[in-house]
Structures are given as C-alpha cells and as structure tokens.
Amino acid sequence: MSGLALLAVTGVLLYGLRASFIVPAGRLTIPAGLERLLEHARPAVLAALLVSVIVGGPGTGFDPAAVVVAAVAMVAASRLSFLATTVVGLATIGLLALA
C-alpha cells in the first residue's frame, strides 16, 4: 500500500472514530454539574502541558527557556480562550502565543 493510500485510509478511519462519539452526543443533554466541571478543562489541559515541559521526559534535562515559553503561551491562551468557540480556535491562539 502506498503512503498516500495509507494516509487516506487512516484519515477516514479517524474521522469515523470521531464521528462515532460526536454524532450520538448531539442528541444528549449534558447535566449542569458536568458542564460546570468542563469549564475547567481548558486551564487544566494547559497546566498539564506546562508540567510536562517542566518535568520533561526520559533523558531530557530541565530547560528554563522552554518553561518560560510554555508559561507565556499558557497564560496567553488562557486569557484569550474566551475568544475561541472551537478547539481549532483555541489551538490557533496557543500556537500564535508560541510564535
């Protein structure tokens, strides 16, 4: 199988996997308590990313410059996250903050 065909098949499978969760969820109502908890998901994910930069992986050392860059991006993305109504918008804000 060529690389392009493999990429296309993988893309279709991933799209189907995502749709299998999103389409049925459109008919569901989320309880108010869960909605309040989900409001904290964005800052929690950004904090987890910052911690992973600070701690690093196996064989990596502590890099203060990477911590500063990640912290600035996290603060900028959390302050501007109200502008983002989609995950793509939030990712764009985070990437622009890193640039």
Coordinates of all heavy atoms in Angstrom, one line a residue:
M1 N 0.9 -1.2 0.0 CA 0.0 0.0 0.0 C 0.9 1.2 0.0 O 1.8 1.3 0.8 CB -0.9 0.0 1.2 CG -1.9 1.1 1.3 SD -3.0 1.1 2.7 CE -4.1 -0.2 2.3
S2 N 0.6 2.2 -0.8 CA 1.4 3.4 -0.9 C 1.2 4.3 0.3 O 0.2 4.1 1.0 CB 1.1 4.1 -2.2 OG -0.1 4.8 -2.1
G3 N 2.1 5.2 0.5 CA 2.0 6.1 1.6 C 0.8 7.0 1.6 O 0.1 7.2 2.6
L4 N 0.4 7.4 0.4 CA -0.8 8.3 0.2 C -2.0 7.5 0.5 O -3.0 8.0 1.2 CB -0.8 8.9 -1.2 CG -1.8 10.0 -1.4 CD1 -1.6 11.1 -0.5 CD2 -1.7 10.5 -2.9
A5 N -2.1 6.3 0.1 CA -3.3 5.5 0.3 C -3.4 5.2 1.8 O -4.5 5.2 2.4 CB -3.3 4.2 -0.5
L6 N -2.3 4.9 2.4 CA -2.3 4.6 3.9 C -2.8 5.9 4.6 O -3.6 5.8 5.6 CB -0.9 4.2 4.3 CG -0.8 3.8 5.8 CD1 -1.7 2.7 6.2 CD2 0.7 3.5 6.1
L7 N -2.3 7.0 4.2 CA -2.7 8.3 4.9 C -4.2 8.5 4.7 O -4.9 8.9 5.6 CB -1.9 9.4 4.3 CG -2.2 10.8 4.9 CD1 -1.8 10.9 6.3 CD2 -1.5 11.9 4.0
A8 N -4.8 8.2 3.5 CA -6.2 8.4 3.2 C -7.0 7.4 4.1 O -8.0 7.8 4.7 CB -6.5 8.2 1.8
V9 N -6.6 6.2 4.1 CA -7.4 5.2 4.9 C -7.3 5.6 6.4 O -8.4 5.5 7.1 CB -6.8 3.8 4.7 CG1 -7.4 2.8 5.7 CG2 -7.1 3.3 3.3
T10 N -6.2 6.0 6.9 CA -6.1 6.4 8.3 C -7.0 7.6 8.6 O -7.6 7.7 9.6 CB -4.6 6.7 8.6 OG1 -3.8 5.6 8.3 CG2 -4.5 7.1 10.1
G11 N -7.0 8.6 7.7 CA -7.8 9.8 7.8 C -9.3 9.4 7.9 O -10.0 9.9 8.7
V12 N -9.7 8.5 7.0 CA -11.1 8.1 7.0 C -11.5 7.4 8.3 O -12.5 7.6 8.9 CB -11.4 7.2 5.8 CG1 -12.8 6.6 5.9 CG2 -11.3 8.1 4.5
L13 N -10.6 6.5 8.8 CA -10.9 5.8 10.0 C -10.9 6.7 11.2 O -11.8 6.6 12.1 CB -9.8 4.7 10.2 CG -9.9 3.5 9.3 CD1 -8.7 2.6 9.5 CD2 -11.2 2.7 9.5
L14 N -10.0 7.6 11.3 CA -10.0 8.6 12.4 C -11.2 9.5 12.3 O -11.8 9.8 13.4 CB -8.7 9.4 12.4 CG -7.5 8.7 12.8 CD1 -6.3 9.6 12.6 CD2 -7.6 8.3 14.3
Y15 N -11.7 9.9 11.2 CA -12.9 10.7 11.0 C -14.1 9.9 11.5 O -14.9 10.4 12.2 CB -13.0 11.2 9.6 CG -14.2 12.1 9.4 CD1 -14.1 13.4 9.7 CD2 -15.4 11.6 8.9 CE1 -15.2 14.3 9.6 CE2 -16.5 12.4 8.8 CZ -16.4 13.8 9.1 OH -17.5 14.6 8.9
G16 N -14.2 8.7 11.1 CA -15.3 7.8 11.6 C -15.3 7.6 13.1 O -16.3 7.6 13.7
L17 N -14.1 7.4 13.6 CA -14.0 7.2 15.1 C -14.5 8.5 15.8 O -15.2 8.4 16.8 CB -12.5 6.9 15.4 CG -12.3 6.3 16.8 CD1 -12.6 4.9 16.7 CD2 -10.8 6.5 17.2
R18 N -14.1 9.6 15.3 CA -14.5 10.9 16.0 C -16.0 11.0 15.8 O -16.7 11.4 16.7 CB -13.8 12.1 15.4 CG -12.4 12.2 15.8 CD -11.7 13.4 15.2 NE -10.3 13.3 15.4 CZ -9.4 13.9 14.7 NH1 -9.8 14.5 13.6 NH2 -8.1 13.8 15.0
A19 N -16.5 10.8 14.6 CA -18.0 10.9 14.4 C -18.8 10.0 15.2 O -19.9 10.3 15.6 CB -18.3 10.7 12.9
S20 N -18.2 8.8 15.5 CA -19.0 7.8 16.3 C -19.2 8.4 17.7 O -20.2 7.9 18.4 CB -18.2 6.5 16.4 OG -17.1 6.6 17.2
F21 N -18.4 9.3 18.2 CA -18.7 9.9 19.5 C -19.5 11.2 19.4 O -20.3 11.5 20.3 CB -17.3 10.2 20.2 CG -16.6 9.0 20.7 CD1 -15.5 8.5 20.0 CD2 -17.1 8.3 21.8 CE1 -14.9 7.3 20.4 CE2 -16.4 7.1 22.2 CZ -15.3 6.7 21.5
I22 N -19.2 12.0 18.4 CA -19.9 13.3 18.3 C -21.3 13.2 17.8 O -22.2 13.9 18.4 CB -19.1 14.2 17.3 CG1 -17.7 14.4 17.9 CG2 -19.8 15.5 17.0 CD1 -16.7 15.1 16.9
V23 N -21.6 12.4 16.8 CA -23.0 12.3 16.3 C -24.0 11.9 17.4 O -25.0 12.5 17.6 CB -23.0 11.4 15.1 CG1 -24.5 11.2 14.6 CG2 -22.2 12.0 13.9
P24 N -23.8 10.8 18.1 CA -24.7 10.4 19.2 C -24.8 11.5 20.3 O -25.8 11.6 20.9 CB -24.2 9.1 19.7 CG -23.3 8.5 18.7 CD -22.7 9.7 18.0
A25 N -23.7 12.1 20.6 CA -23.7 13.1 21.6 C -24.5 14.3 21.3 O -25.0 15.1 22.2 CB -22.3 13.6 21.9
G26 N -24.8 14.6 20.0 CA -25.7 15.7 19.6 C -27.1 15.6 20.2 O -27.8 16.6 20.3
R27 N -27.5 14.4 20.4 CA -28.9 14.1 20.9 C -28.9 14.1 22.4 O -30.0 14.1 23.0 CB -29.4 12.8 20.4 CG -29.6 12.9 18.9 CD -30.1 11.5 18.4 NE -29.1 11.0 17.5 CZ -28.6 9.8 17.5 NH1 -29.0 8.9 18.4 NH2 -27.6 9.4 16.7
L28 N -27.8 14.2 23.1 CA -27.8 14.1 24.6 C -27.7 15.5 25.2 O -27.2 16.4 24.6 CB -26.5 13.3 25.0 CG -26.4 11.9 24.5 CD1 -25.1 11.3 25.0 CD2 -27.5 11.0 25.0
T29 N -28.3 15.6 26.4 CA -28.1 16.8 27.1 C -27.1 16.6 28.3 O -27.1 15.5 28.9 CB -29.5 17.3 27.7 OG1 -30.0 16.2 28.6 CG2 -30.4 17.6 26.6
I30 N -26.2 17.5 28.5 CA -25.2 17.4 29.5 C -25.8 18.0 30.8 O -26.3 19.1 30.8 CB -23.9 18.1 29.1 CG1 -23.4 17.5 27.8 CG2 -22.9 18.1 30.2 CD1 -22.2 18.2 27.2
P31 N -25.6 17.2 31.9 CA -26.1 17.8 33.2 C -25.4 19.1 33.6 O -24.2 19.2 33.2 CB -25.8 16.6 34.2 CG -25.6 15.4 33.3 CD -25.1 15.9 32.0
A32 N -26.0 19.9 34.3 CA -25.4 21.2 34.7 C -24.2 21.1 35.4 O -23.2 21.8 35.3 CB -26.5 22.0 35.4
G33 N -24.1 20.1 36.3 CA -22.9 19.9 37.1 C -21.7 19.5 36.3 O -20.6 20.0 36.5
L34 N -21.9 18.7 35.2 CA -20.8 18.3 34.3 C -20.4 19.5 33.5 O -19.2 19.6 33.2 CB -21.3 17.1 33.4 CG -20.3 16.5 32.5 CD1 -19.0 16.1 33.3 CD2 -20.9 15.4 31.7
E35 N -21.4 20.3 33.1 CA -21.0 21.5 32.3 C -20.1 22.4 33.1 O -19.1 23.0 32.6 CB -22.2 22.3 31.9 CG -22.9 21.7 30.6 CD -24.0 22.6 30.1 OE1 -23.9 23.8 30.3 OE2 -24.9 22.1 29.4
R36 N -20.4 22.6 34.4 CA -19.5 23.4 35.3 C -18.1 22.8 35.4 O -17.1 23.5 35.4 CB -20.2 23.6 36.6 CG -21.3 24.6 36.7 CD -21.7 24.9 38.1 NE -22.0 23.8 38.9 CZ -23.2 23.2 39.0 NH1 -24.2 23.8 38.3 NH2 -23.5 22.2 39.8
L37 N -18.1 21.5 35.5 CA -16.7 20.8 35.5 C -16.0 21.0 34.2 O -14.7 21.2 34.3 CB -16.9 19.4 35.9 CG -17.3 19.0 37.3 CD1 -17.5 17.5 37.4 CD2 -16.2 19.5 38.3
L38 N -16.7 20.9 33.1 CA -16.0 21.0 31.8 C -15.4 22.4 31.6 O -14.5 22.6 30.8 CB -16.9 20.6 30.7 CG -17.2 19.2 30.6 CD1 -18.3 18.9 29.5 CD2 -16.0 18.3 30.3
E39 N -15.9 23.4 32.3 CA -15.4 24.8 32.1 C -13.9 24.8 32.6 O -13.1 25.7 32.2 CB -16.2 25.8 32.9 CG -17.6 26.0 32.4 CD -18.4 27.0 33.3 OE1 -17.8 27.5 34.2 OE2 -19.6 27.1 33.0
H40 N -13.5 23.9 33.5 CA -12.2 23.9 34.0 C -11.2 23.0 33.1 O -10.1 22.9 33.5 CB -12.2 23.4 35.4 CG -13.0 24.2 36.3 ND1 -12.7 25.5 36.7 CD2 -14.3 23.9 36.9 CE1 -13.6 25.9 37.5 NE2 -14.6 25.0 37.6
A41 N -11.7 22.4 32.1 CA -10.9 21.5 31.3 C -9.8 22.3 30.5 O -8.7 21.8 30.5 CB -11.8 20.8 30.3
R42 N -10.1 23.4 30.0 CA -9.1 24.2 29.2 C -7.9 24.5 30.1 O -6.8 24.2 29.7 CB -9.7 25.4 28.5 CG -10.6 25.1 27.4 CD -11.1 26.4 26.8 NE -12.0 26.1 25.7 CZ -12.7 27.1 25.1 NH1 -12.5 28.3 25.4 NH2 -13.5 26.8 24.1
P43 N -8.1 25.2 31.2 CA -7.0 25.5 32.1 C -6.2 24.3 32.6 O -5.0 24.3 32.7 CB -7.6 26.3 33.2 CG -8.9 26.8 32.7 CD -9.4 25.8 31.7
A44 N -7.0 23.2 32.8 CA -6.3 22.0 33.4 C -5.4 21.4 32.3 O -4.3 20.9 32.6 CB -7.4 21.0 33.8
V45 N -5.9 21.4 31.1 CA -5.0 20.8 30.0 C -3.8 21.7 29.8 O -2.7 21.2 29.6 CB -5.9 20.7 28.7 CG1 -5.0 20.4 27.5 CG2 -6.9 19.6 28.8
L46 N -4.0 23.0 29.8 CA -2.8 23.9 29.6 C -1.8 23.7 30.8 O -0.6 23.7 30.6 CB -3.3 25.3 29.5 CG -4.0 25.7 28.2 CD1 -4.6 27.1 28.3 CD2 -3.1 25.6 27.0
A47 N -2.3 23.6 32.0 CA -1.4 23.3 33.1 C -0.7 22.0 33.0 O 0.5 21.9 33.3 CB -2.2 23.4 34.4
A48 N -1.4 21.0 32.6 CA -0.8 19.7 32.4 C 0.3 19.8 31.3 O 1.4 19.1 31.5 CB -1.8 18.6 32.0
L49 N 0.1 20.5 30.3 CA 1.2 20.7 29.2 C 2.4 21.4 29.8 O 3.5 21.1 29.5 CB 0.6 21.5 28.0 CG -0.4 20.7 27.2 CD1 -1.0 21.6 26.2 CD2 0.2 19.5 26.5
L50 N 2.1 22.4 30.7 CA 3.2 23.1 31.3 C 4.0 22.2 32.2 O 5.3 22.2 32.2 CB 2.7 24.4 32.0 CG 3.8 25.2 32.7 CD1 4.8 25.8 31.7 CD2 3.2 26.3 33.5
V51 N 3.3 21.4 33.0 CA 4.0 20.5 33.9 C 4.9 19.5 33.1 O 6.0 19.2 33.5 CB 3.0 19.8 34.8 CG1 3.7 18.6 35.5 CG2 2.4 20.8 35.8
S52 N 4.4 19.0 32.0 CA 5.1 18.1 31.2 C 6.4 18.7 30.6 O 7.4 18.1 30.4 CB 4.3 17.5 30.0 OG 4.0 18.5 29.1
V53 N 6.3 20.0 30.3 CA 7.5 20.7 29.8 C 8.5 20.9 31.0 O 9.7 20.7 30.8 CB 7.1 22.1 29.2 CG1 8.4 23.0 29.0 CG2 6.4 22.0 27.9
I54 N 8.0 21.2 32.2 CA 8.9 21.4 33.3 C 9.6 20.1 33.7 O 10.8 20.0 33.9 CB 8.2 22.0 34.5 CG1 7.7 23.4 34.2 CG2 9.0 21.9 35.8 CD1 6.8 24.0 35.2
V55 N 8.8 19.0 33.8 CA 9.4 17.7 34.2 C 10.2 17.1 33.1 O 11.3 16.5 33.4 CB 8.2 16.8 34.6 CG1 8.7 15.4 34.9 CG2 7.5 17.3 35.8
G56 N 9.8 17.2 31.9 CA 10.5 16.6 30.8 C 10.3 15.1 30.7 O 9.7 14.5 31.6
G57 N 10.9 14.5 29.7 CA 10.8 13.1 29.5 C 12.1 12.4 29.9 O 13.0 13.0 30.4
P58 N 12.1 11.1 29.7 CA 13.4 10.4 30.0 C 14.5 10.9 29.1 O 14.4 11.1 27.9 CB 13.0 8.9 29.6 CG 11.6 8.9 29.3 CD 11.1 10.3 29.2
G59 N 15.6 11.2 29.8 CA 16.8 11.6 29.1 C 16.8 13.1 28.8 O 17.7 13.6 28.1
T60 N 15.8 13.8 29.2 CA 15.8 15.3 29.0 C 16.1 16.0 30.3 O 15.7 15.6 31.3 CB 14.5 15.7 28.4 OG1 13.4 15.4 29.4 CG2 14.1 15.1 27.1
G61 N 16.7 17.1 30.2 CA 17.0 17.9 31.3 C 16.1 19.0 31.5 O 15.2 19.3 30.6
F62 N 16.2 19.7 32.6 CA 15.3 20.9 32.8 C 15.8 22.0 32.0 O 17.0 22.4 32.0 CB 15.4 21.3 34.3 CG 14.6 22.5 34.7 CD1 13.2 22.4 34.8 CD2 15.3 23.7 35.0 CE1 12.5 23.5 35.1 CE2 14.5 24.8 35.3 CZ 13.2 24.7 35.4
D63 N 14.9 22.6 31.2 CA 15.2 23.7 30.3 C 14.4 25.0 30.7 O 13.2 25.0 30.4 CB 14.9 23.3 28.8 CG 15.4 24.4 27.9 OD1 16.1 25.3 28.3 OD2 15.0 24.3 26.7
P64 N 15.0 25.9 31.4 CA 14.3 27.1 31.8 C 13.7 27.9 30.7 O 12.6 28.4 30.9 CB 15.3 27.9 32.6 CG 16.5 27.0 32.9 CD 16.4 25.9 31.8
A65 N 14.3 28.0 29.6 CA 13.8 28.7 28.4 C 12.5 28.1 28.0 O 11.5 28.8 27.7 CB 14.8 28.8 27.3
A66 N 12.4 26.8 27.9 CA 11.2 26.1 27.5 C 10.1 26.3 28.5 O 8.9 26.5 28.1 CB 11.5 24.6 27.3
V67 N 10.4 26.4 29.7 CA 9.4 26.6 30.8 C 8.8 28.0 30.6 O 7.6 28.2 30.7 CB 10.0 26.4 32.2 CG1 9.0 26.8 33.3 CG2 10.4 25.0 32.4
V68 N 9.7 29.0 30.4 CA 9.2 30.4 30.2 C 8.3 30.5 29.0 O 7.2 31.1 29.0 CB 10.4 31.4 30.1 CG1 9.9 32.7 29.7 CG2 11.1 31.4 31.4
V69 N 8.7 29.9 27.9 CA 7.9 29.9 26.6 C 6.6 29.2 26.9 O 5.5 29.8 26.5 CB 8.7 29.3 25.5 CG1 7.8 29.1 24.3 CG2 9.9 30.1 25.1
A70 N 6.6 28.1 27.5 CA 5.3 27.4 27.7 C 4.4 28.1 28.7 O 3.2 28.2 28.5 CB 5.6 26.0 28.3
A71 N 5.0 28.8 29.7 CA 4.2 29.5 30.7 C 3.6 30.8 30.0 O 2.4 31.0 30.2 CB 5.1 30.0 31.8
V72 N 4.3 31.4 29.2 CA 3.8 32.6 28.4 C 2.7 32.2 27.5 O 1.6 32.8 27.4 CB 4.9 33.3 27.7 CG1 4.3 34.3 26.7 CG2 5.8 34.0 28.6
A73 N 2.9 31.1 26.8 CA 1.8 30.6 25.9 C 0.6 30.1 26.7 O -0.5 30.4 26.3 CB 2.4 29.4 25.1
M74 N 0.8 29.5 27.8 CA -0.3 29.1 28.7 C -1.1 30.2 29.2 O -2.4 30.3 29.1 CB 0.2 28.2 29.8 CG -1.0 27.7 30.7 SD -0.4 26.8 32.1 CE 0.1 28.1 33.2
V75 N -0.5 31.3 29.6 CA -1.2 32.4 30.2 C -1.9 33.2 29.0 O -3.1 33.5 29.2 CB -0.2 33.4 30.9 CG1 -0.8 34.7 31.2 CG2 0.3 32.8 32.1
A76 N -1.2 33.3 27.9 CA -1.9 34.0 26.8 C -3.1 33.2 26.3 O -4.1 33.8 26.0 CB -0.9 34.2 25.6
A77 N -2.9 31.9 26.1 CA -4.0 31.1 25.7 C -5.2 31.1 26.7 O -6.4 31.1 26.3 CB -3.6 29.7 25.4
S78 N -4.9 31.0 28.0 CA -6.0 31.0 28.9 C -6.7 32.4 29.0 O -7.9 32.4 29.2 CB -5.4 30.7 30.3 OG -4.6 31.7 30.8
R79 N -6.0 33.5 28.8 CA -6.6 34.8 28.8 C -7.4 35.0 27.5 O -8.4 35.7 27.5 CB -5.5 35.9 28.9 CG -4.8 35.9 30.2 CD -5.8 36.2 31.3 NE -5.1 36.1 32.6 CZ -5.7 35.6 33.7 NH1 -6.9 35.3 33.6 NH2 -5.0 35.5 34.8
L80 N -7.0 34.4 26.4 CA -7.7 34.6 25.1 C -8.6 33.5 24.8 O -9.3 33.5 23.8 CB -6.7 34.8 24.0 CG -5.8 36.0 24.1 CD1 -4.7 35.9 23.0 CD2 -6.6 37.3 23.9
S81 N -8.8 32.5 25.7 CA -9.6 31.4 25.4 C -11.1 31.7 25.2 O -11.8 31.0 24.6 CB -9.4 30.3 26.4 OG -9.9 30.7 27.7
F82 N -11.5 32.8 25.8 CA -12.9 33.3 25.7 C -13.2 33.6 24.2 O -14.4 33.6 23.8 CB -13.2 34.4 26.6 CG -12.5 35.7 26.3 CD1 -13.1 36.6 25.5 CD2 -11.3 35.9 26.9 CE1 -12.4 37.8 25.2 CE2 -10.6 37.1 26.6 CZ -11.2 38.0 25.7
L83 N -12.2 34.0 23.4 CA -12.4 34.3 22.0 C -12.6 33.0 21.2 O -13.2 33.1 20.1 CB -11.2 35.0 21.5 CG -10.9 36.4 22.1 CD1 -9.6 36.9 21.5 CD2 -12.0 37.4 21.8
A84 N -12.1 31.9 21.7 CA -12.2 30.7 20.9 C -13.5 30.0 21.2 O -13.8 29.7 22.4 CB -11.0 29.8 21.2
T85 N -14.3 29.7 20.2 CA -15.5 28.9 20.4 C -15.3 27.5 20.0 O -16.2 26.7 20.2 CB -16.7 29.5 19.6 OG1 -16.3 29.6 18.2 CG2 -17.0 30.9 20.1
T86 N -14.2 27.2 19.4 CA -13.9 25.8 18.9 C -12.5 25.4 19.4 O -11.7 26.2 19.8 CB -14.0 25.7 17.4 OG1 -12.9 26.5 16.8 CG2 -15.3 26.1 16.9
V87 N -12.2 24.1 19.3 CA -10.9 23.6 19.7 C -9.9 24.1 18.7 O -8.8 24.5 19.1 CB -10.9 22.1 19.7 CG1 -9.5 21.5 19.9 CG2 -11.9 21.6 20.8
V88 N -10.2 24.2 17.5 CA -9.3 24.7 16.5 C -8.9 26.2 16.8 O -7.8 26.6 16.7 CB -9.9 24.6 15.0 CG1 -9.0 25.3 14.0 CG2 -10.1 23.2 14.7
G89 N -9.9 27.0 17.2 CA -9.6 28.4 17.6 C -8.7 28.4 18.8 O -7.8 29.3 18.8
L90 N -8.9 27.6 19.8 CA -8.1 27.6 20.9 C -6.6 27.1 20.6 O -5.7 27.7 21.0 CB -8.6 26.7 22.0 CG -7.9 26.7 23.3 CD1 -7.8 28.1 24.0 CD2 -8.5 25.7 24.3
A91 N -6.5 26.1 19.7 CA -5.2 25.7 19.3 C -4.5 26.8 18.5 O -3.3 26.9 18.7 CB -5.4 24.4 18.4
T92 N -5.2 27.5 17.7 CA -4.6 28.6 16.9 C -4.1 29.7 17.9 O -3.0 30.2 17.7 CB -5.7 29.2 16.0 OG1 -6.2 28.2 15.1 CG2 -5.1 30.3 15.1
I93 N -4.9 30.0 18.9 CA -4.4 31.0 19.8 C -3.2 30.5 20.5 O -2.2 31.3 20.7 CB -5.5 31.3 20.9 CG1 -6.7 32.1 20.2 CG2 -5.0 32.1 22.1 CD1 -7.9 32.2 21.0
G94 N -3.1 29.3 21.0 CA -2.0 28.7 21.6 C -0.7 28.7 20.7 O 0.4 29.1 21.1
L95 N -0.9 28.4 19.5 CA 0.2 28.3 18.5 C 0.7 29.7 18.2 O 1.9 30.0 18.1 CB -0.2 27.6 17.2 CG -0.4 26.1 17.4 CD1 -0.9 25.5 16.1 CD2 1.0 25.5 17.7
L96 N -0.2 30.7 18.1 CA 0.2 32.1 17.9 C 1.0 32.6 19.1 O 1.9 33.4 19.0 CB -1.0 33.0 17.6 CG -1.6 32.7 16.2 CD1 -2.9 33.6 16.1 CD2 -0.7 33.1 15.1
A97 N 0.6 32.2 20.3 CA 1.3 32.6 21.5 C 2.7 32.1 21.5 O 3.6 32.7 22.1 CB 0.5 32.2 22.8
L98 N 2.9 30.9 21.0 CA 4.2 30.2 20.9 C 5.1 30.9 19.9 O 6.3 30.8 20.0 CB 4.1 28.7 20.7 CG 3.7 27.9 21.9 CD1 3.4 26.5 21.5 CD2 4.7 28.0 23.0
A99 N 4.5 31.5 18.9 CA 5.3 32.0 17.7 C 6.1 33.2 18.1 O 5.9 33.9 19.0 CB 4.4 32.4 16.6

